[in-house]
Amino acid sequence: MSVLVYLEISEGKVKKSSLEVAAFGAELAKKLNTEALGIAIGKADDLTLAGNFGLNKVLNTNTDVETAQAYASIVFQAAEKLGASTVILPKSSSVDGFASRLSVKLKANLVSNVCELPDVSSGFKVKRSIYTGKAFAWTELKTANKVLVVKKNAFTPCLLYTSPSPRD
């Protein structure tokens, strides 16, 4: 099962926080021995940049969406189509609006404020920040499907990947 990364678009550009989660998702996919895929909702000028951060393929709806329910439905359909068991989202106000709806649709555990790559050595344990980032908690996810909302600036993306991702 693959890792699906949601890429947030603003004014036709992929947001920096989305590039962070693209790299995060690619590293997690490596740990899980699977592929990292992306989904972008809205008109984007250039999605090949996401390939430079490790995504193997990026789907784009190329349409504007206005409701949290619509975002959740589109990401859910992409996860189903691509066979993704883990969905990675960047922390933002728009993601906050649909992350829980998505987790219900996927029958997935949801963890927000994720601040480092999960420990997959024995199960699936995620470190997240609590109390406005002054403390941390480890959360074990036990369902087959998982939704992780990654805290901003928690993972520094590196341009380690040079092959551009294809755009569907």
Side-chain angles (χ1 to χ4, degrees), residues 78-118:
E80 291 282 299
K81 177 182 178 182
L82 299 171
S85 60
T86 304
V87 178
I88 312 292
L89 308 169
K91 177 75 170 142
S92 72
S93 57
S94 64
V95 166
D96 288 344
F98 77 84
S100 59
R101 294 171 193 257
L102 176 63
S103 69
V104 169
K105 287 177 177 285
L106 289 170
K107 297 182 175 106
N109 285 148
L110 168 66
V111 178
S112 61
N113 288 327
V114 173
C115 56
E116 66 181 45
L117 282 169

Side-chain angles (χ1 to χ4, degrees), residues 1-165:
M1 300 298 273
S2 60
V3 172
L4 179 64
V5 176
Y6 168 67
L7 301 171
E8 201 168 10
I9 307 298
S10 177
E11 297 177 8
K13 307 275 186 228
V14 178
K15 292 177 81 174
K16 178 186 172 279
S17 60
S18 291
L19 296 176
E20 291 173 13
V21 295
F24 182 96
E27 289 300 315
L28 178 58
K30 269 196 229 175
K31 282 179 131 185
L32 298 173
N33 200 24
T34 189
E35 64 181 343
L37 307 168
I39 175 73
I41 300 172
K43 293 179 174 81
D45 297 335
D46 186 15
L47 291 173
T48 58
L49 181 61
N52 294 333
F53 291 90
L55 299 184
N56 302 102
K57 181 179 184 180
V58 178
L59 299 176
N60 183 221
T61 64
N62 212 17
T63 57
D64 291 324
V65 177
E66 302 214 1
T67 67
Q69 185 63 42
Y71 276 99
S73 293
I74 291 169
V75 177
F76 169 73
Q77 290 170 14
E80 291 282 299
K81 177 182 178 182
L82 299 171
S85 60
T86 304
V87 178
I88 312 292
L89 308 169
K91 177 75 170 142
S92 72
S93 57
S94 64
V95 166
D96 288 344
F98 77 84
S100 59
R101 294 171 193 257
L102 176 63
S103 69
V104 169
K105 287 177 177 285
L106 289 170
K107 297 182 175 106
N109 285 148
L110 168 66
V111 178
S112 61
N113 288 327
V114 173
C115 56
E116 66 181 45
L117 282 169
D119 176 3
V120 296
S121 60
S122 60
F124 198 99
K125 297 177 185 160
V126 179
K127 183 178 180 182
R128 61 189 192 98
S129 65
I130 57 174
Y131 303 118
T132 66
K134 295 181 179 170
F136 301 96
W138 283 93
T139 304
E140 185 171 7
L141 287 72
K142 298 198 180 233
T143 59
N145 293 332
K146 298 151 186 70
V147 176
L148 306 179
V149 181
V150 179
K151 183 178 175 179
K152 289 180 183 177
N153 301 316
F155 193 81
T156 305
C158 296
L159 281 170
L160 300 176
Y161 307 93
T162 55
S163 62
S165 63

